[in-house]
Amino acid sequence: MSAAEGVILRENAQVSIIIPTYNESRNIIGILKSIGENLPKNITAEAIVVDDNSPDSTGKIVDEYLKNVKKIAGYTMDVIHRTSKNGLSSAILSGIQRSRGDTIIVMDSDFSHPPQIIPKLIESLKKYQCDLVIASRYISGGKINGWTLKRKIMSKFATLIAKKGLGVKTKDPMSGFFAFKKHVLKGINFDAIGYKILLEILVKKSGIAIKEIPYTFENRRVGSSKLDISTATDYLKSVWKLYKFGKPKEREEKRSSVRFLSKASRFYTVGLSGFGVNYIISLLFVGGISDLWYLHATLIGIIASITTNFLLNKTWTFHDRDFSKKRTFKQYGKFVTFSSLGGLVQLVMVFYLVDEYQLSYPIALVLAVLSAAFGNFVLNKKYTFKEKVWG
Ligand code: GDD
Ligand code: MN
């Protein structure tokens, strides 16, 4: 094939396969070859390796290989050299920027993502008329080979956080193996922290058609995973960012009474959880993690439970995701004030009911607790979280 033809193929590439590498000297050439062998014959494709100046010379090895390799019909290869290790997500974005195809495939370079699945990914985009196809370990037919129990649990846990915390419906939002039409990225402003570029797409893009197809993830045979503790904290950071990004998608319940009651029941569930927090934290500080005087421990328990109550009510009961410092501190101040006020109301009421109205103490207590709790909810709803009382 002439060089000119090679150029034409590059221009025409329909599918761009993005392959980030960091210290993959023993995998990269093998994976490039294997991708070439597995590509469907009727398409033109380019592989773009994105290397972050790997100390094991992955980048140079690819350069050498590309100098000598005989171009394969319909398949070109390219490499981007970045100067330092800047994270998987941002490497993928660099690759996409360089890409020419209107279909993008993202995959690892360590054979965990079998190149045999590539044709299925491409076919599925057409067959199911969708914009994004995810190779999934967590739908029926999919699985993971060779992972330790610990890694499996971590993965499941991360997936659970994404589903429950971010409302993602996909079964494997942590997948690193997926294909999509380039237009999917339009309008997304990426944070690109850490590993989870797919999750970012899933949260930030709505209205696209998504399909998952099963595959078996094979743990890498050579080299080691780059996933470490900082990847895990990056994950939590990015979930937090995505969480704040998301607009609460509450099914708008029309009946005010139902809205009121469901918020009230969340508010009191949180209140109950506060007892647990209070108890556990107090006990931890008398003899658990430290040995404080029991009154100090109790105080810490109270502060801890007010704080968890506040955060849970803010995020869960009232769906408030605005965590700007000023707003949050102001709300916290009001919340603490109303909580203390509740205690005071309770004391005064018990006193009056027993002393003036001669009620028995148990009945007086129930009445006082109920009024304080009710007042607490209404005041926080109206003044702390600025909602109408009814509704
Ligand atoms: N350029 C670049 N820069 N590449 C990186 C970087 C980086 O900072 N970090 C990792 N890579 C490359 C690796 O060389 C490999 O090709 C791929 O990204 C995945 O890294 P691994 O270290 O092998 O990740 P893993 O196997 O632990 O995790 C995989 O499975 C997860 C599923 O739970 C990845 O596919 C994850 O994306 C996936 O979520
Ligand atoms: Mn891997």
Side-chain angles (χ1 to χ4, degrees):
M1 182 188 312
S2 72
E5 273 178 82
V7 171
I8 290 164
L9 286 176
R10 276 164 85 100
E11 298 291 326
N12 283 347
Q14 297 159 321
V15 177
S16 300
I17 304 163
I18 315 296
I19 311 157
T21 54
Y22 192 75
N23 286 348
E24 303 287 2
S25 57
R26 291 156 70 202
N27 287 316
I28 186 60
I29 303 304
I31 199 80
L32 283 173
K33 285 182 181 159
S34 175
I35 290 170
E37 285 155 15
N38 283 285
L39 279 173
K41 294 287 164 271
N42 58 346
I43 61 149
T44 53
E46 61 177 357
I48 301 176
V49 175
V50 187
D51 185 64
D52 279 1
N53 202 5
S54 300
D56 76 347
S57 305
T58 304
K60 284 188 204 94
I61 291 170
V62 178
D63 281 340
E64 283 304 309
Y65 176 69
L66 293 187
K67 260 191 235 156
N68 303 320
V69 71
K70 241 181 102 220
K71 290 231 161 56
I72 305 158
Y75 178 46
T76 56
M77 286 161 268
D78 205 347
V79 56
I80 298 176
H81 298 282
R82 305 203 305 172
T83 46
S84 61
K85 188 170 189 296
N86 258 322
L88 181 51
S89 292
S90 85
I92 292 168
L93 289 181
S94 302
I96 293 173
Q97 258 165 21
R98 171 80 66 92
S99 68
R100 297 173 184 83
D102 72 336
T103 296
I104 308 286
I105 296 180
V106 174
M107 66 186 291
D108 293 351
S109 59
D110 57 358
F111 287 95
S112 287
H113 301 153
Q116 291 78 359
I117 303 293
I118 292 175
K120 287 189 193 140
L121 285 171
I122 299 171
E123 268 163 36
S124 300
L125 278 171
K126 251 213 191 119
K127 184 165 150 202
Y128 301 104
Q129 302 222 327
C130 51
D131 312 288
L132 169 62
V133 178
I134 301 166
S136 173
R137 301 161 291 171
Y138 298 137
I139 58 172
S140 96
K143 70 188 225 247
I144 297 173
N145 276 345
W147 265 7
T148 59
L149 184 64
K150 186 177 148 207
R151 180 81 208 251
K152 279 186 182 159
I153 292 173
M154 271 170 50
S155 169
K156 279 277 183 193
F157 186 62
T159 306
L160 192 76
I161 294 179
K163 284 185 164 174
K164 298 288 168 204
L166 302 175
V168 169
K169 296 282 176 296
T170 310
K171 292 281 189 297
D172 193 356
M174 302 292 136
S175 178
F177 194 15
F178 51 97
F180 58 94
K181 294 281 174 196
K182 217 179 200 168
H183 71 78
V184 165
L185 302 184
K186 241 184 236 147
I188 302 184
N189 189 3
F190 282 98
D191 295 317
I193 306 170
Y195 263 47
K196 300 308 171 191
I197 195 86
L198 174 64
L199 186 62
E200 201 166 351
I201 296 174
L202 291 172
V203 172
K204 292 188 172 173
K205 191 77 182 189
S206 49
I208 52 169
I210 302 171
K211 172 81 186 167
E212 287 184 85
I213 60 168
Y215 84 106
T216 301
F217 181 103
E218 297 283 348
N219 195 21
R220 59 163 75 235
R221 301 248 157 69
V222 285
S224 56
S225 171
K226 279 85 209 172
L227 200 120
D228 55 15
I229 188 76
S230 82
T231 318
T233 53
D234 278 348
Y235 175 64
L236 294 179
K237 253 189 242 163
S238 67
V239 167
W240 180 237
K241 279 218 155 174
L242 290 173
Y243 177 74
K244 289 196 291 180
F245 174 90
K247 285 158 208 69
K249 287 183 207 74
E250 219 181 344
R251 275 165 281 107
E252 222 5 88
E253 165 62 57
K254 296 245 161 25
R255 290 158 299 178
S256 324
S257 56
V258 178
R259 287 211 306 266
F260 182 85
L261 287 178
S262 78
K263 284 200 178 142
S265 68
R266 288 201 293 258
F267 188 83
Y268 295 121
T269 310
V270 169
L272 278 180
S273 81
F275 285 118
V277 171
N278 198 333
Y279 188 73
I280 293 168
I281 298 284
S282 305
L283 282 186
L284 268 180
F285 278 93
V286 279
I289 48 177
S290 78
D291 225 337
L292 293 184
W293 182 39
Y294 72 98
L295 282 188
H296 285 160
T298 308
L299 195 65
I300 293 176
I302 291 173
I303 293 171
S305 63
I306 289 181
T307 307
T308 55
N309 280 0
F310 168 69
L311 291 173
L312 285 170
N313 277 322
K314 182 172 166 70
T315 54
W316 185 50
T317 310
F318 296 108
H319 297 301
D320 177 359
R321 299 178 182 208
D322 184 343
F323 278 87
S324 57
K325 269 197 198 109
K326 203 171 145 211
R327 176 191 177 92
T328 311
F329 273 113
K330 246 176 147 175
Q331 288 177 327
Y332 186 64
K334 288 182 191 166
F335 189 82
V336 173
T337 309
F338 293 141
S339 303
S340 326
L341 203 69
L344 205 67
V345 165
Q346 198 177 315
L347 271 177
V348 174
M349 260 188 84
V350 168
F351 175 74
Y352 269 97
L353 291 175
V354 172
D355 225 61
E356 299 272 315
Y357 296 91
Q358 328 289 299
L359 280 185
S360 75
Y361 176 64
I363 293 178
L365 190 63
V366 168
L367 287 177
V369 168
L370 285 180
S371 332
F374 185 73
N376 206 342
F377 173 61
V378 168
L379 287 175
N380 277 307
K381 192 170 192 315
K382 185 159 166 55
Y383 296 106
T384 311
F385 298 104
K386 302 267 197 287
E387 288 192 355
K388 277 190 293 192
V389 172
W390 185 243

